[in-house]
Amino acid sequence: MPHFTRRGFIAATVAASAVRAIPMVASRPAARRILTLVYDKKLGMMRAIDRLVP
């Protein structure tokens, strides 16, 4: 295993994340994410509902 400095480790982590994230962003159609908070009586607490709207 290569010896990483703190800067090298952070740079490698950011590069690996970018490689995974960029194709998903490029292939995704233009859609908006709508986050709605609702009160769920059965659970007795707030719940988040996430929807994609074209």
Side-chain angles (χ1 to χ4, degrees):
M1 181 162 170
H3 178 70
F4 281 124
T5 61
R6 184 181 301 164
R7 257 186 219 165
F9 177 76
I10 292 171
T13 305
V14 170
S17 300
V19 166
R20 292 186 65 184
I22 289 174
M24 290 191 307
V25 171
S27 66
R28 211 178 267 174
R32 290 184 2 191
R33 294 183 82 104
I34 305 292
L35 180 65
T36 307
L37 293 174
V38 295
Y39 185 76
D40 192 339
K41 291 181 182 177
K42 186 174 181 181
L43 293 175
M45 57 191 267
M46 297 295 284
R47 189 166 60 110
I49 299 174
D50 191 21
R51 295 183 298 152
L52 285 176
V53 178

PDB file of all heavy atoms in Angstrom, residues 7-37:
ATOM      1  N   ARG A   7      -2.439  15.453   2.606  1.00  0.00           N
ATOM      2  CA  ARG A   7      -2.858  16.113   1.362  1.00  0.00           C
ATOM      3  C   ARG A   7      -3.088  15.122   0.233  1.00  0.00           C
ATOM      4  O   ARG A   7      -4.035  15.233  -0.527  1.00  0.00           O
ATOM      5  CB  ARG A   7      -1.793  17.108   0.923  1.00  0.00           C
ATOM      6  CG  ARG A   7      -2.163  18.503   1.214  1.00  0.00           C
ATOM      7  CD  ARG A   7      -1.159  19.446   0.624  1.00  0.00           C
ATOM      8  NE  ARG A   7      -0.989  20.509   1.581  1.00  0.00           N
ATOM      9  CZ  ARG A   7      -0.019  21.367   1.580  1.00  0.00           C
ATOM     10  NH1 ARG A   7       0.909  21.299   0.675  1.00  0.00           N
ATOM     11  NH2 ARG A   7       0.046  22.298   2.475  1.00  0.00           N
ATOM     12  N   GLY A   8      -2.192  14.153   0.120  1.00  0.00           N
ATOM     13  CA  GLY A   8      -2.332  13.143  -0.923  1.00  0.00           C
ATOM     14  C   GLY A   8      -3.573  12.289  -0.727  1.00  0.00           C
ATOM     15  O   GLY A   8      -4.258  11.936  -1.690  1.00  0.00           O
ATOM     16  N   PHE A   9      -3.867  11.959   0.524  1.00  0.00           N
ATOM     17  CA  PHE A   9      -5.059  11.166   0.818  1.00  0.00           C
ATOM     18  C   PHE A   9      -6.320  11.934   0.457  1.00  0.00           C
ATOM     19  O   PHE A   9      -7.241  11.388  -0.156  1.00  0.00           O
ATOM     20  CB  PHE A   9      -5.077  10.774   2.293  1.00  0.00           C
ATOM     21  CG  PHE A   9      -6.308  10.022   2.684  1.00  0.00           C
ATOM     22  CD1 PHE A   9      -6.453   8.692   2.327  1.00  0.00           C
ATOM     23  CD2 PHE A   9      -7.311  10.648   3.391  1.00  0.00           C
ATOM     24  CE1 PHE A   9      -7.594   7.996   2.682  1.00  0.00           C
ATOM     25  CE2 PHE A   9      -8.451   9.964   3.752  1.00  0.00           C
ATOM     26  CZ  PHE A   9      -8.590   8.634   3.396  1.00  0.00           C
ATOM     27  N   ILE A  10      -6.391  13.211   0.830  1.00  0.00           N
ATOM     28  CA  ILE A  10      -7.559  14.030   0.518  1.00  0.00           C
ATOM     29  C   ILE A  10      -7.705  14.179  -0.995  1.00  0.00           C
ATOM     30  O   ILE A  10      -8.810  14.067  -1.534  1.00  0.00           O
ATOM     31  CB  ILE A  10      -7.465  15.404   1.218  1.00  0.00           C
ATOM     32  CG1 ILE A  10      -7.602  15.210   2.730  1.00  0.00           C
ATOM     33  CG2 ILE A  10      -8.532  16.354   0.696  1.00  0.00           C
ATOM     34  CD1 ILE A  10      -7.309  16.452   3.537  1.00  0.00           C
ATOM     35  N   ALA A  11      -6.602  14.410  -1.705  1.00  0.00           N
ATOM     36  CA  ALA A  11      -6.658  14.548  -3.158  1.00  0.00           C
ATOM     37  C   ALA A  11      -7.136  13.255  -3.816  1.00  0.00           C
ATOM     38  O   ALA A  11      -7.955  13.288  -4.741  1.00  0.00           O
ATOM     39  CB  ALA A  11      -5.288  14.943  -3.696  1.00  0.00           C
ATOM     40  N   ALA A  12      -6.658  12.118  -3.348  1.00  0.00           N
ATOM     41  CA  ALA A  12      -7.080  10.836  -3.919  1.00  0.00           C
ATOM     42  C   ALA A  12      -8.552  10.576  -3.648  1.00  0.00           C
ATOM     43  O   ALA A  12      -9.279  10.058  -4.510  1.00  0.00           O
ATOM     44  CB  ALA A  12      -6.228   9.714  -3.349  1.00  0.00           C
ATOM     45  N   THR A  13      -9.020  10.926  -2.456  1.00  0.00           N
ATOM     46  CA  THR A  13     -10.425  10.730  -2.107  1.00  0.00           C
ATOM     47  C   THR A  13     -11.330  11.600  -2.960  1.00  0.00           C
ATOM     48  O   THR A  13     -12.354  11.138  -3.467  1.00  0.00           O
ATOM     49  CB  THR A  13     -10.647  11.044  -0.611  1.00  0.00           C
ATOM     50  OG1 THR A  13      -9.756  10.241   0.163  1.00  0.00           O
ATOM     51  CG2 THR A  13     -12.065  10.773  -0.197  1.00  0.00           C
ATOM     52  N   VAL A  14     -10.963  12.875  -3.142  1.00  0.00           N
ATOM     53  CA  VAL A  14     -11.756  13.783  -3.971  1.00  0.00           C
ATOM     54  C   VAL A  14     -11.768  13.314  -5.417  1.00  0.00           C
ATOM     55  O   VAL A  14     -12.811  13.337  -6.077  1.00  0.00           O
ATOM     56  CB  VAL A  14     -11.221  15.225  -3.852  1.00  0.00           C
ATOM     57  CG1 VAL A  14     -11.858  16.131  -4.882  1.00  0.00           C
ATOM     58  CG2 VAL A  14     -11.469  15.758  -2.449  1.00  0.00           C
ATOM     59  N   ALA A  15     -10.641  12.857  -5.924  1.00  0.00           N
ATOM     60  CA  ALA A  15     -10.570  12.378  -7.310  1.00  0.00           C
ATOM     61  C   ALA A  15     -11.438  11.136  -7.494  1.00  0.00           C
ATOM     62  O   ALA A  15     -12.151  11.017  -8.494  1.00  0.00           O
ATOM     63  CB  ALA A  15      -9.123  12.076  -7.679  1.00  0.00           C
ATOM     64  N   ALA A  16     -11.407  10.223  -6.544  1.00  0.00           N
ATOM     65  CA  ALA A  16     -12.228   9.016  -6.650  1.00  0.00           C
ATOM     66  C   ALA A  16     -13.716   9.351  -6.579  1.00  0.00           C
ATOM     67  O   ALA A  16     -14.527   8.769  -7.305  1.00  0.00           O
ATOM     68  CB  ALA A  16     -11.855   8.040  -5.547  1.00  0.00           C
ATOM     69  N   SER A  17     -14.077  10.306  -5.744  1.00  0.00           N
ATOM     70  CA  SER A  17     -15.474  10.721  -5.646  1.00  0.00           C
ATOM     71  C   SER A  17     -15.934  11.384  -6.935  1.00  0.00           C
ATOM     72  O   SER A  17     -17.060  11.166  -7.394  1.00  0.00           O
ATOM     73  CB  SER A  17     -15.664  11.685  -4.481  1.00  0.00           C
ATOM     74  OG  SER A  17     -15.303  11.062  -3.278  1.00  0.00           O
ATOM     75  N   ALA A  18     -15.088  12.202  -7.531  1.00  0.00           N
ATOM     76  CA  ALA A  18     -15.442  12.888  -8.771  1.00  0.00           C
ATOM     77  C   ALA A  18     -15.639  11.893  -9.908  1.00  0.00           C
ATOM     78  O   ALA A  18     -16.552  12.041 -10.719  1.00  0.00           O
ATOM     79  CB  ALA A  18     -14.367  13.894  -9.134  1.00  0.00           C
ATOM     80  N   VAL A  19     -14.815  10.872  -9.960  1.00  0.00           N
ATOM     81  CA  VAL A  19     -14.938   9.864 -11.015  1.00  0.00           C
ATOM     82  C   VAL A  19     -16.280   9.144 -10.915  1.00  0.00           C
ATOM     83  O   VAL A  19     -16.901   8.832 -11.919  1.00  0.00           O
ATOM     84  CB  VAL A  19     -13.769   8.856 -10.931  1.00  0.00           C
ATOM     85  CG1 VAL A  19     -14.019   7.625 -11.773  1.00  0.00           C
ATOM     86  CG2 VAL A  19     -12.474   9.526 -11.344  1.00  0.00           C
ATOM     87  N   ARG A  20     -16.744   8.918  -9.696  1.00  0.00           N
ATOM     88  CA  ARG A  20     -18.031   8.237  -9.520  1.00  0.00           C
ATOM     89  C   ARG A  20     -19.209   9.173  -9.715  1.00  0.00           C
ATOM     90  O   ARG A  20     -20.259   8.751 -10.182  1.00  0.00           O
ATOM     91  CB  ARG A  20     -18.100   7.627  -8.127  1.00  0.00           C
ATOM     92  CG  ARG A  20     -17.134   6.477  -7.951  1.00  0.00           C
ATOM     93  CD  ARG A  20     -17.315   5.813  -6.637  1.00  0.00           C
ATOM     94  NE  ARG A  20     -18.642   5.198  -6.598  1.00  0.00           N
ATOM     95  CZ  ARG A  20     -19.149   4.603  -5.546  1.00  0.00           C
ATOM     96  NH1 ARG A  20     -18.451   4.554  -4.442  1.00  0.00           N
ATOM     97  NH2 ARG A  20     -20.342   4.067  -5.580  1.00  0.00           N
ATOM     98  N   ALA A  21     -19.084  10.454  -9.347  1.00  0.00           N
ATOM     99  CA  ALA A  21     -20.226  11.367  -9.355  1.00  0.00           C
ATOM    100  C   ALA A  21     -20.480  12.005 -10.719  1.00  0.00           C
ATOM    101  O   ALA A  21     -21.628  12.229 -11.090  1.00  0.00           O
ATOM    102  CB  ALA A  21     -20.022  12.461  -8.312  1.00  0.00           C
ATOM    103  N   ILE A  22     -19.442  12.294 -11.481  1.00  0.00           N
ATOM    104  CA  ILE A  22     -19.612  13.027 -12.739  1.00  0.00           C
ATOM    105  C   ILE A  22     -20.454  12.258 -13.759  1.00  0.00           C
ATOM    106  O   ILE A  22     -21.349  12.836 -14.358  1.00  0.00           O
ATOM    107  CB  ILE A  22     -18.246  13.450 -13.312  1.00  0.00           C
ATOM    108  CG1 ILE A  22     -17.669  14.543 -12.428  1.00  0.00           C
ATOM    109  CG2 ILE A  22     -18.365  13.930 -14.744  1.00  0.00           C
ATOM    110  CD1 ILE A  22     -16.274  14.961 -12.776  1.00  0.00           C
ATOM    111  N   PRO A  23     -20.257  10.957 -13.984  1.00  0.00           N
ATOM    112  CA  PRO A  23     -21.120  10.267 -14.959  1.00  0.00           C
ATOM    113  C   PRO A  23     -22.591  10.254 -14.560  1.00  0.00           C
ATOM    114  O   PRO A  23     -23.464  10.350 -15.409  1.00  0.00           O
ATOM    115  CB  PRO A  23     -20.568   8.841 -14.988  1.00  0.00           C
ATOM    116  CG  PRO A  23     -19.178   8.956 -14.521  1.00  0.00           C
ATOM    117  CD  PRO A  23     -19.174  10.094 -13.545  1.00  0.00           C
ATOM    118  N   MET A  24     -22.897  10.169 -13.267  1.00  0.00           N
ATOM    119  CA  MET A  24     -24.295  10.173 -12.829  1.00  0.00           C
ATOM    120  C   MET A  24     -24.937  11.527 -13.092  1.00  0.00           C
ATOM    121  O   MET A  24     -26.085  11.606 -13.513  1.00  0.00           O
ATOM    122  CB  MET A  24     -24.386   9.837 -11.344  1.00  0.00           C
ATOM    123  CG  MET A  24     -24.048   8.406 -11.036  1.00  0.00           C
ATOM    124  SD  MET A  24     -24.438   7.886  -9.368  1.00  0.00           S
ATOM    125  CE  MET A  24     -23.632   9.104  -8.374  1.00  0.00           C
ATOM    126  N   VAL A  25     -24.211  12.607 -12.857  1.00  0.00           N
ATOM    127  CA  VAL A  25     -24.748  13.949 -13.082  1.00  0.00           C
ATOM    128  C   VAL A  25     -24.948  14.196 -14.576  1.00  0.00           C
ATOM    129  O   VAL A  25     -25.941  14.776 -14.992  1.00  0.00           O
ATOM    130  CB  VAL A  25     -23.810  15.016 -12.464  1.00  0.00           C
ATOM    131  CG1 VAL A  25     -24.229  16.400 -12.858  1.00  0.00           C
ATOM    132  CG2 VAL A  25     -23.777  14.868 -10.954  1.00  0.00           C
ATOM    133  N   ALA A  26     -24.016  13.731 -15.396  1.00  0.00           N
ATOM    134  CA  ALA A  26     -24.099  13.961 -16.836  1.00  0.00           C
ATOM    135  C   ALA A  26     -25.229  13.167 -17.474  1.00  0.00           C
ATOM    136  O   ALA A  26     -25.856  13.635 -18.420  1.00  0.00           O
ATOM    137  CB  ALA A  26     -22.764  13.598 -17.488  1.00  0.00           C
ATOM    138  N   SER A  27     -25.513  11.964 -16.991  1.00  0.00           N
ATOM    139  CA  SER A  27     -26.538  11.128 -17.612  1.00  0.00           C
ATOM    140  C   SER A  27     -27.937  11.414 -17.093  1.00  0.00           C
ATOM    141  O   SER A  27     -28.911  10.970 -17.676  1.00  0.00           O
ATOM    142  CB  SER A  27     -26.212   9.652 -17.382  1.00  0.00           C
ATOM    143  OG  SER A  27     -26.305   9.355 -16.008  1.00  0.00           O
ATOM    144  N   ARG A  28     -28.057  12.145 -16.021  1.00  0.00           N
ATOM    145  CA  ARG A  28     -29.343  12.420 -15.413  1.00  0.00           C
ATOM    146  C   ARG A  28     -30.088  13.504 -16.196  1.00  0.00           C
ATOM    147  O   ARG A  28     -29.521  14.536 -16.527  1.00  0.00           O
ATOM    148  CB  ARG A  28     -29.111  12.906 -13.985  1.00  0.00           C
ATOM    149  CG  ARG A  28     -30.213  12.533 -13.044  1.00  0.00           C
ATOM    150  CD  ARG A  28     -29.883  12.992 -11.664  1.00  0.00           C
ATOM    151  NE  ARG A  28     -29.208  11.899 -10.946  1.00  0.00           N
ATOM    152  CZ  ARG A  28     -28.699  12.025  -9.761  1.00  0.00           C
ATOM    153  NH1 ARG A  28     -28.708  13.180  -9.165  1.00  0.00           N
ATOM    154  NH2 ARG A  28     -28.148  11.004  -9.175  1.00  0.00           N
ATOM    155  N   PRO A  29     -31.366  13.302 -16.500  1.00  0.00           N
ATOM    156  CA  PRO A  29     -32.127  14.351 -17.183  1.00  0.00           C
ATOM    157  C   PRO A  29     -32.384  15.527 -16.236  1.00  0.00           C
ATOM    158  O   PRO A  29     -32.271  15.397 -15.021  1.00  0.00           O
ATOM    159  CB  PRO A  29     -33.434  13.655 -17.550  1.00  0.00           C
ATOM    160  CG  PRO A  29     -33.562  12.532 -16.591  1.00  0.00           C
ATOM    161  CD  PRO A  29     -32.158  12.108 -16.258  1.00  0.00           C
ATOM    162  N   ALA A  30     -32.729  16.653 -16.830  1.00  0.00           N
ATOM    163  CA  ALA A  30     -32.979  17.849 -16.025  1.00  0.00           C
ATOM    164  C   ALA A  30     -34.266  17.656 -15.224  1.00  0.00           C
ATOM    165  O   ALA A  30     -35.364  17.665 -15.777  1.00  0.00           O
ATOM    166  CB  ALA A  30     -33.087  19.071 -16.914  1.00  0.00           C
ATOM    167  N   ALA A  31     -34.142  17.437 -13.936  1.00  0.00           N
ATOM    168  CA  ALA A  31     -35.292  17.242 -13.055  1.00  0.00           C
ATOM    169  C   ALA A  31     -35.012  17.950 -11.738  1.00  0.00           C
ATOM    170  O   ALA A  31     -33.862  18.099 -11.336  1.00  0.00           O
ATOM    171  CB  ALA A  31     -35.543  15.758 -12.819  1.00  0.00           C
ATOM    172  N   ARG A  32     -36.078  18.383 -11.102  1.00  0.00           N
ATOM    173  CA  ARG A  32     -35.927  19.042  -9.804  1.00  0.00           C
ATOM    174  C   ARG A  32     -36.290  18.066  -8.702  1.00  0.00           C
ATOM    175  O   ARG A  32     -37.188  17.246  -8.848  1.00  0.00           O
ATOM    176  CB  ARG A  32     -36.860  20.245  -9.724  1.00  0.00           C
ATOM    177  CG  ARG A  32     -36.431  21.355 -10.607  1.00  0.00           C
ATOM    178  CD  ARG A  32     -37.276  22.586 -10.467  1.00  0.00           C
ATOM    179  NE  ARG A  32     -38.322  22.480  -9.475  1.00  0.00           N
ATOM    180  CZ  ARG A  32     -39.297  23.353  -9.351  1.00  0.00           C
ATOM    181  NH1 ARG A  32     -39.366  24.373 -10.151  1.00  0.00           N
ATOM    182  NH2 ARG A  32     -40.222  23.194  -8.418  1.00  0.00           N
ATOM    183  N   ARG A  33     -35.590  18.169  -7.608  1.00  0.00           N
ATOM    184  CA  ARG A  33     -35.900  17.354  -6.433  1.00  0.00           C
ATOM    185  C   ARG A  33     -36.758  18.192  -5.495  1.00  0.00           C
ATOM    186  O   ARG A  33     -36.392  19.310  -5.140  1.00  0.00           O
ATOM    187  CB  ARG A  33     -34.626  16.928  -5.727  1.00  0.00           C
ATOM    188  CG  ARG A  33     -33.774  16.000  -6.548  1.00  0.00           C
ATOM    189  CD  ARG A  33     -32.567  15.566  -5.762  1.00  0.00           C
ATOM    190  NE  ARG A  33     -32.918  14.478  -4.874  1.00  0.00           N
ATOM    191  CZ  ARG A  33     -32.594  13.209  -5.112  1.00  0.00           C
ATOM    192  NH1 ARG A  33     -31.927  12.907  -6.177  1.00  0.00           N
ATOM    193  NH2 ARG A  33     -32.945  12.273  -4.272  1.00  0.00           N
ATOM    194  N   ILE A  34     -37.883  17.645  -5.103  1.00  0.00           N
ATOM    195  CA  ILE A  34     -38.786  18.320  -4.179  1.00  0.00           C
ATOM    196  C   ILE A  34     -38.754  17.551  -2.858  1.00  0.00           C
ATOM    197  O   ILE A  34     -39.057  16.360  -2.821  1.00  0.00           O
ATOM    198  CB  ILE A  34     -40.233  18.351  -4.725  1.00  0.00           C
ATOM    199  CG1 ILE A  34     -40.278  18.968  -6.118  1.00  0.00           C
ATOM    200  CG2 ILE A  34     -41.152  19.076  -3.762  1.00  0.00           C
ATOM    201  CD1 ILE A  34     -39.955  20.429  -6.157  1.00  0.00           C
ATOM    202  N   LEU A  35     -38.371  18.227  -1.805  1.00  0.00           N
ATOM    203  CA  LEU A  35     -38.341  17.624  -0.478  1.00  0.00           C
ATOM    204  C   LEU A  35     -39.497  18.193   0.329  1.00  0.00           C
ATOM    205  O   LEU A  35     -39.613  19.411   0.504  1.00  0.00           O
ATOM    206  CB  LEU A  35     -37.019  17.927   0.231  1.00  0.00           C
ATOM    207  CG  LEU A  35     -36.871  17.337   1.622  1.00  0.00           C
ATOM    208  CD1 LEU A  35     -36.847  15.820   1.557  1.00  0.00           C
ATOM    209  CD2 LEU A  35     -35.624  17.860   2.284  1.00  0.00           C
ATOM    210  N   THR A  36     -40.388  17.310   0.781  1.00  0.00           N
ATOM    211  CA  THR A  36     -41.559  17.726   1.540  1.00  0.00           C
ATOM    212  C   THR A  36     -41.499  17.081   2.912  1.00  0.00           C
ATOM    213  O   THR A  36     -41.218  15.881   3.033  1.00  0.00           O
ATOM    214  CB  THR A  36     -42.844  17.268   0.818  1.00  0.00           C
ATOM    215  OG1 THR A  36     -42.802  17.715  -0.524  1.00  0.00           O
ATOM    216  CG2 THR A  36     -44.075  17.834   1.486  1.00  0.00           C
ATOM    217  N   LEU A  37     -41.746  17.863   3.935  1.00  0.00           N
ATOM    218  CA  LEU A  37     -41.819  17.336   5.295  1.00  0.00           C
ATOM    219  C   LEU A  37     -43.283  17.191   5.680  1.00  0.00           C
ATOM    220  O   LEU A  37     -44.063  18.130   5.538  1.00  0.00           O
ATOM    221  CB  LEU A  37     -41.117  18.271   6.274  1.00  0.00           C
ATOM    222  CG  LEU A  37     -39.606  18.382   6.118  1.00  0.00           C
ATOM    223  CD1 LEU A  37     -39.070  19.437   7.055  1.00  0.00           C
ATOM    224  CD2 LEU A  37     -38.937  17.053   6.382  1.00  0.00           C
TER     225      LEU A  37
END
